[in-house]
Amino acid sequence: MAQKKAGEVEAFLSRPDTSFPVVLLYGPDPGLVSERAAVVARLSGADLADPFSTVTLNADELERDIGRLFDEARTLSLFGGRRLIRVRGAGNGKNLADAVADLAADPPAGATIVIEAGDLKKTAALRQQVERGRAAMALPCYQDEARALDRMIDEEMAASNLTIDRQAREALRERLGANRLASRGEVQKLCLYALGKGQVTEEDVETIVGDVSADTVDETIDAAATGEVKKLPELIERLLASGSSTFQLHSALLRHFQGLQLMRAEVEEGGATVGSAVERRRPHFRRKPAFEAALGAWTGEAIIRTLQRIEADILLSRRESALAVTIMRRTLTDISVEAAKLRTRGQR
């Protein structure tokens, strides 16, 4: 089976085996998948600056016209040399999986095919076909672990002839998000700011690196649970731009409504007031008004329906990883609209 474990991918990319002209990269972090796909592209031998040697295709479009993938794979480069076909947004499409099986069994002589996908399960047809193919390689890409994050920081510091002290490194780690490309962008911005200084300090990090804090996640969850519909788009964009994962937001939303369910039971079954139920929960003082507003609006029945909805959307976003952002936006918006309706009814 042609596949690598997550911890083996970096080593493979440093010494790539070019006998695998079909390469699948998959995982929950699209930034990390894209970054590693770019490494494979550079190592493919194709001229990335030549539009006749490099082509990028969308997986959704290939599902409707899979013949184009075969046409591109079998086309010879106009001026000789290898060609690169990069397929983005792959998921559970059957046509692409079947095509990959054919290409892995009978690989094109002068082309490298790099496929970028979301978080594929072991049973996903595309992943299975690549892992079975004699000329294909599957590379799982998972979110940065501490060691991988440190390696990326060291790479960027070395490229800018900079060092970073221990306190600054710890502060930087805390501020980086889950998306590899977004994290690298923040480190590159920091290096540009500190260029010529020799060493990056904690003060530099605090000055220039954006903080993807839990406060912003909490603010987004509170906006959804209290019906602040107009606030949501900007809050969601801030979190996504900083690299926060959709799973992180969905998980925070699920925990919040589980907490509301417990407090609602205290009110409806235990006779507690909204204020006393919230007080026992001990939220941060800044969030207390939002907790009270949400608890006052949501009924026990409505909370149960919403929890079921969140759980279903989490499962759906795992199955359709390419649509995870769209699903998360819809979840938060629909819940916020429902909260606004409930609060309006309660005020009548």
Side-chain angles (χ1 to χ4, degrees):
M1 296 178 72
Q3 60 175 311
K4 293 292 180 182
K5 295 180 180 178
E8 300 172 337
V9 175
E10 291 286 355
F12 175 82
L13 292 177
S14 67
R15 299 182 301 277
D17 186 343
T18 54
S19 64
F20 298 102
V22 179
V23 181
L24 168 68
L25 301 103
Y26 66 91
D29 179 355
L32 181 56
V33 170
S34 180
E35 182 178 273
R36 286 178 169 172
V39 173
V40 176
R42 287 198 302 272
L43 296 170
S44 69
D47 183 354
L48 303 186
D50 180 2
F52 295 103
S53 297
T54 303
V55 62
T56 300
L57 305 174
N58 185 280
D60 288 340
E61 294 174 359
L62 289 179
E63 283 300 307
R64 297 189 292 271
D65 181 17
I66 197 62
R68 188 180 175 195
L69 178 59
F70 288 102
D71 291 342
E72 295 289 354
R74 306 296 183 193
T75 298
L76 297 177
S77 178
L78 187 62
F79 300 106
R82 292 191 67 81
R83 297 187 76 245
L84 173 72
I85 297 95
R86 193 164 173 176
V87 179
R88 288 181 165 150
N92 295 317
K94 181 180 184 302
N95 290 338
L96 179 58
D98 291 344
V100 164
D102 292 339
L103 290 166
D106 182 19
T112 298
I113 301 168
V114 180
I115 305 168
E116 301 172 41
D119 196 11
L120 301 175
K121 293 183 177 181
K122 287 184 179 180
T123 55
L126 177 60
R127 179 174 167 184
Q128 287 184 336
Q129 297 293 9
V130 171
E131 290 175 353
R132 293 169 183 164
R134 67 177 180 83
M137 172 61 72
L139 302 177
C141 303
Y142 294 112
Q143 292 177 6
D144 286 327
E145 298 175 356
R147 190 165 54 183
L149 193 59
D150 276 332
R151 184 163 54 245
M152 184 269 286
I153 292 171
D154 290 338
E155 287 172 1
E156 294 300 330
M157 293 293 158
S160 299
N161 295 316
L162 292 167
T163 60
I164 184 168
D165 63 38
R166 184 174 59 82
Q167 292 88 348
R169 183 183 291 271
E170 290 175 359
L172 180 57
R173 278 203 217 101
E174 290 174 0
R175 287 168 176 258
L176 295 179
N179 183 294
R180 171 69 76 94
L181 285 182
S183 295
R184 189 178 289 275
E186 288 295 324
V187 177
Q188 289 173 341
K189 184 172 67 175
L190 173 64
C191 290
L192 182 61
Y193 175 78
L195 200 62
K197 293 181 62 174
Q199 186 175 61
V200 174
T201 66
E202 187 174 2
E203 183 179 353
D204 295 329
V205 174
E206 291 175 353
T207 300
I208 201 67
V209 179
D211 186 2
V212 187
S213 67
D215 288 345
T216 310
V217 175
D218 291 341
E219 191 178 354
T220 305
I221 299 307
D222 287 341
T226 59
E228 299 286 347
V229 184
K230 292 182 179 179
K231 287 184 178 181
L232 274 179
E234 181 184 351
L235 290 169
I236 293 171
E237 287 304 323
R238 278 165 50 192
L239 287 170
L240 291 176
S242 64
S244 294
S245 68
T246 56
F247 181 74
Q248 177 186 4
L249 289 168
H250 266 136
S251 298
L253 190 63
L254 183 66
R255 289 194 301 272
H256 185 67
F257 272 86
Q258 287 170 339
L260 285 179
Q261 186 179 40
L262 293 174
M263 290 186 286
R264 192 71 231 173
E266 292 179 21
V267 173
E268 294 181 355
E269 299 170 17
T273 64
V274 167
S276 64
V278 170
E279 191 63 40
R280 278 194 287 274
R281 184 76 175 175
R282 296 180 180 275
H284 191 281
F285 74 92
R286 287 199 301 258
R287 297 191 70 195
K288 189 175 177 181
F291 268 68
E292 291 178 347
L295 185 58
W298 288 90
T299 64
E301 225 176 85
I303 291 172
I304 290 172
R305 287 198 309 270
T306 300
L307 282 170
Q308 292 170 341
R309 161 70 185 277
I310 297 168
E311 289 170 353
D313 283 351
I314 289 174
L315 180 60
L316 180 60
S317 65
R318 287 177 176 173
R319 288 175 176 168
E320 303 291 343
S321 56
L323 299 174
V325 172
T326 300
I327 294 167
M328 181 271 296
R329 288 183 194 275
R330 186 189 65 186
T331 306
L332 289 168
T333 302
D334 288 354
I335 288 173
S336 189
V337 169
E338 178 68 13
K341 290 178 180 177
L342 290 169
R343 292 187 69 179
T344 300
R345 288 175 198 157
Q347 291 167 4
R348 287 175 183 170

